[in-house]
């Protein structure tokens, strides 16, 4: 996966986020911050921060100030700190407008698999399940295919689930899908792939939105 | 650092007059009202609710209905169909109204009440508590033994609207409270679809200590400056 | 009930409290504060205060500063404020060393009835049940008999219960009882009543402690 | 006002050296350890635990076992029998030890983990959460439908000892934290029979703002000044 694919997906996710509070997962979602208007969108970090600022310069670095990915951060003038239980209350209680999570698979029912691989040790989950359960909108950010070329948008997930029926939007480097009335809809397709090619890469059942957008994709994106 | 961002901070919290805010309350709403006795009561919002709206058949979730608060005229106008709280005996008229079937009352131990609110705002629908096990307040409630001790299943509380009182809000919507006027206000802020806050003072972003913010703005929808009807 | 009976009971309860955190209920327990060493004993109030100080002078009165009885108070230099859920977490979670509650009845099993009277409307409970359930020590403070002369320390409570098997100590104007190994023990008897008289006023089964104290009672107490 | 009282304030919180404090931890204890990654970890108390005691067969309740913290040497010395947390995959040796049956691991979603701790400290033994319903982490757990949605019954957590990190304590034992080093520390302070706190600084009573105290001293047993072994 090239750098610009990741960055394109992150940028495209950011277009979904114009205001409100968002939590960004680990992986591609972390990059979303670079494309957000961080004044009008506030970033929540599940270790207990509302109002995450940009990366610190080396002299600003503070060991007591990290995000959920354990990376050093800065804060903003409207930032607040709280304990982990309040942080997850905020999340699970539906007080976050959106989350962007990296996904391994998404099913046509909106199920998401993002935290474990069959046959591997199941020893880490972090906040992924609470995010997927609690945020008002769950945006799954992922490459359209695995590095081996296997599809990820499937009739049903074959990997262990993170949450059932919770995905609202899927963003890949080729397309954007949304869930609406219990169905998956293709709402945007980059001009680098044809409808046939997309169908081939996407075994899930989906409908094509009436107002489908065809857009210039990442080959024109300056990341 | 971050000066570009800092200039442009904007949240989805709205700053409205009491009249504008209170008109968002629907008919037959379930409303949480902060405060304990007369302390920390959103008196100004309640006044607007009484004077500026006609909403009826309200369910009020509040510790009690004190005669010296604006919950009392709301009660006197027969606009409260049901009250959920912990202590209604000090107001004899409420007791009388209950006896005559004019108001429904659901009584909870204060700890169960406050945890039901906090967990309601936290996405947890039910919990087991040892409080009230074996008492009349547990009649018709599910019980279960944990650690050899009987516990009662309590359902969390969540409202259409919370009316709360804070001391200061910043322009992002973060809140701090004052002394024991904090009481139920921060947890009720969490536990409603629409949280409307009455504050003494609105300050600039950056004026509240980020370590001391009690209610982050994620829990707040509308801030009303007390006095702005 | 004379003023000095109440005050004697309150004073005697205070003798049980040498350090730690205590919550004082409404009624006689409120008076306990007057006899406590308020430096070494910290008073918790369930509306969200740890460290209640004495009554304010009129010029100190602050509408935002009341105790659980809704009376104006002052605070001390080590006071903290918190919301009601944390306050009851503190209580129910076993973080208070003791509570003094007014009781209507106490049974020989340690059941307590303090909040309701049969046949009357059951419309108020407040924090009584959480206090009785949560505090490490529950001290029941009450007159030995009702105003009509009925006993209150009974084989079993006839009034609605506040909590089962939670009372640790009973303090009346005549005697002090403690629960120990599932039995009720008389540990202190004022010299104004005989053993026979006490038995008559106390239908509950109780044992007499080996180290029973006979004390000069309230007739020598300067309240 | 109150000057007589003010001079004589004394709580049951003890102020000890790390060595004295840590010797109170019994064999086979269940220990909560605050911190997230390397932030807010009670490094100094853990160092004392490693150097000054021989306690074995510990159950550690902590978010993860980070290689750059003193939980790691404790793990390397095979003194951790079981770990309860949310994220152990980043430490390959822990994964390997688990595979070889040298360490038992109980994995919880981070929100269920943090609420289980807070409620454990609040006298609530169990609660229902929507998180993990229908996933592998709910296998063998009781489920129940609330509001048309499946929920999982989670049991609260309570430990023999909590080792936490705060920024400042006053001489009564009240605590404040610093920035995101707060994380699990305040809730773990609530959830143990014995709570030992490591602080950067001990200040006089009255120096902390009563509105900003995060952990009231009711939850604290022992305060250790960092650096005092």
């Amino acid at each position: 996966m090239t750098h610009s694919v990741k960055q394109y997906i992150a940028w495209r996710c950011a277009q979904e986020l114009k205001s409100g509070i968002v939590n960004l997962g680990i992986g591609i979602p972390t990059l979303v911050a670079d494309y957000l208007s961080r004044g009008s969108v506030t970033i929540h970090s599940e270790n207990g921060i509302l109002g995450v600022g940009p990366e610190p310069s080396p002299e600003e670095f503070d060991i007591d100030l990290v995000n959920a990915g354990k990376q050093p951060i800065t804060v903003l003038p409207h930032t607040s700190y709280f304990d982990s239980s309040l942080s997850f209350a905020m999340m699970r209680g539906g007080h976050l407008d959106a989350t962007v999570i990296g996904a391994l698979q998404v099913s046509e029912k909106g199920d998401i698999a993002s935290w474990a691989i069959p046959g591997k040790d199941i020893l880490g989950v972090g906040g992924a399940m609470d995010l997927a359960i609690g945020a008002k909108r769950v945006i799954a950010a992922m490459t359209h295919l695995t590095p081996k070329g296997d599809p990820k948008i499937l009739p049903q997930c074959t990997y262990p689930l993170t949450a059932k029926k919770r995905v609202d939007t899927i963003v890949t480097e080729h397309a954007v899908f949304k869930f609406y009335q219990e169905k998956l809809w293709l709402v945007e397709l980059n001009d680098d792939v044809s409808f046939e090619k997309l169908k081939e890469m996407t075994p899930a059942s989906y409908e094509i939105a009436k107002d489908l957008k065809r857009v210039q994709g990442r080959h024109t994106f300056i990341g | 650092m971050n000066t570009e961002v800092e200039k442009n901070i904007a949240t989805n919290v709205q700053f409205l007059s009491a009249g504008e805010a209170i008109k968002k309350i629907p008919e037959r709403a379930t409303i949480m009202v902060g405060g304990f006795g007369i302390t920390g009561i959103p008196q100004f919002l309640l006044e607007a609710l009484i004077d500026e709206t006609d909403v009826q058949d309200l369910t009020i979730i509040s510790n009690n209905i004190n005669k010296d608060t604006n919950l009392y005229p709301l009660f006197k106008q027969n606009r409260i169909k049901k009250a959920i709280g912990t202590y209604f005996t000090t107001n004899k008229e409420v007791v009388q109204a209950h006896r005559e079937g004019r108001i429904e009352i659901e009584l909870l131990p204060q700890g169960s009440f406050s945890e039901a609110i906090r967990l309601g705002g936290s996405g947890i629908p039910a919990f087991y508590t040892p409080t009230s096990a074996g008492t009349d307040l547990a009649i018709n409630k599910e019980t279960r033994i944990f650690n050899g001790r009987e516990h009662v299943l309590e359902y969390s509380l969540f409202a259409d609207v919370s009316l709360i009182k804070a001391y200061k809000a910043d322009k992002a919507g973060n809140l701090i409270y004052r002394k024991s006027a904090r009481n139920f206000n921060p947890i009720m802020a969490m536990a409603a679809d629409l949280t409307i806050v009455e504050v003494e003072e609105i300050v600039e972003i950056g004026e509240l200590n980020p370590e001391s913010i009690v209610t982050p703005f994620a829990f707040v929808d509308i801030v009303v400056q007390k006095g702005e009807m």
Side-chain angles (χ1 to χ4, degrees), chain B residues 36-40 63-64 66 85-90 94-96 98-99 105 107-112 114-115 118 127 129-137 149-150 165 167 178-187 214:
Chain B
F36 179 80
I38 62 166
T39 303
N63 188 67
N64 55 323
N66 189 293
T86 85
Y87 213 85
F88 297 102
T89 28
T90 38
V94 173
V95 174
Q96 188 61 29
H98 178 255
R99 220 173 270 162
I105 287 184
L107 194 69
L108 286 167
Q110 203 172 334
S112 305
S114 57
E115 197 58 45
R118 183 187 168 281
F127 59 101
T129 178
T131 306
S132 92
T135 77
D136 288 358
L137 290 191
R149 193 174 182 193
E150 193 178 37
K165 169 74 194 289
Y167 180 41
R178 189 166 175 277
K179 303 186 178 183
S180 64
R182 190 181 302 197
N183 57 58
F184 296 98
N185 286 299
I187 53 176
V214 176

Side-chain angles (χ1 to χ4, degrees), chain B residues 30-54:
Chain B
T30 296
I31 308 178
M32 294 201 184
V33 180
F36 179 80
I38 62 166
T39 303
I41 284 266
Q43 283 285 79
F44 186 68
L45 292 177
L46 288 170
E47 188 186 329
L49 175 65
I50 292 164
D51 293 349
E52 310 266 316
T53 79
D54 298 313

Side-chain angles (χ1 to χ4, degrees), chain A residues 27-101:
Chain A
I28 296 174
T30 306
L31 304 174
V32 173
D34 297 338
Y35 303 103
L36 284 180
S37 162
R38 220 187 276 245
S40 44
V41 177
T42 299
I43 299 175
H44 169 267
S45 185
E46 59 260 44
N47 54 323
I49 305 168
L50 184 64
V52 174
E55 260 183 67
S57 60
E59 63 271 22
E60 284 175 319
F61 175 82
D62 183 335
I63 193 184
D64 288 339
L65 197 45
V66 298
N67 66 13
K70 289 146 193 166
Q71 301 302 310
I73 56 163
T74 58
V75 290
L76 298 171
H78 67 323
T79 295
S80 56
Y81 302 109
F82 32 85
D83 72 48
S84 297
S85 74
L86 193 73
S87 190
F88 280 89
M90 200 178 277
M91 190 180 290
R92 197 180 40 230
H95 307 282
L96 303 190
D97 296 295
T99 184
V100 185
I101 340 186

Side-chain angles (χ1 to χ4, degrees), chain B residues 36-229:
Chain B
F36 179 80
I38 62 166
T39 303
I41 284 266
Q43 283 285 79
F44 186 68
L45 292 177
L46 288 170
E47 188 186 329
L49 175 65
I50 292 164
D51 293 349
E52 310 266 316
T53 79
D54 298 313
V55 290
Q56 300 280 343
D57 292 326
L58 301 173
T59 296
I60 297 293
I61 301 175
S62 196
N63 188 67
N64 55 323
I65 297 178
N66 189 293
K67 277 204 161 184
D68 298 322
T69 70
N70 286 332
L71 279 172
Y72 181 60
L74 200 65
F75 158 74
K76 288 291 282 178
Q77 293 171 11
N78 292 311
R79 293 165 72 176
I80 304 178
K81 182 185 63 180
K82 180 177 179 181
I84 304 173
T86 85
Y87 213 85
F88 297 102
T89 28
T90 38
N91 188 328
K92 299 296 167 216
E93 292 173 65
V94 173
V95 174
Q96 188 61 29
H98 178 255
R99 220 173 270 162
E100 294 168 6
R102 288 185 284 114
I103 188 168
E104 192 185 336
I105 287 184
E106 188 178 330
L107 194 69
L108 286 167
Q110 203 172 334
S112 305
F113 179 71
S114 57
E115 197 58 45
I117 295 165
R118 183 187 168 281
L119 289 178
S122 307
I124 305 285
F127 59 101
Y128 289 97
T129 178
T131 306
S132 92
T135 77
D136 288 358
L137 290 191
I139 292 171
N140 296 325
K141 290 190 177 179
E142 263 185 72
T143 60
R144 181 163 170 168
I145 307 291
F146 293 94
N147 313 317
R149 193 174 182 193
E150 193 178 37
H151 289 74
V152 177
L153 180 68
E154 296 283 5
Y155 290 83
S156 298
L157 293 167
F158 194 84
D160 299 312
V161 182
S162 277
L163 301 182
I164 70 159
K165 169 74 194 289
Y167 180 41
K168 292 182 184 180
D170 69 15
K171 288 183 175 169
N174 293 303
L175 306 178
I176 61 168
Y177 303 85
R178 189 166 175 277
K179 303 186 178 183
S180 64
R182 190 181 302 197
N183 57 58
F184 296 98
N185 286 299
I187 53 176
M188 288 184 173
M190 300 166 68
D193 282 327
L194 177 69
T195 294
I196 308 175
V197 191
E198 159 188 337
V199 298
E200 297 288 329
E201 192 183 344
I202 296 168
V203 302
E204 294 300 320
I205 289 173
E207 287 189 37
L208 301 181
N209 178 352
E211 304 279 6
S212 307
I213 288 167
V214 176
T215 298
F217 72 85
F219 298 124
V220 176
D221 297 293
I222 299 172
V223 174
V224 171
Q225 164 79 61
K226 190 174 147 184
E228 276 187 23
M229 190 57 83

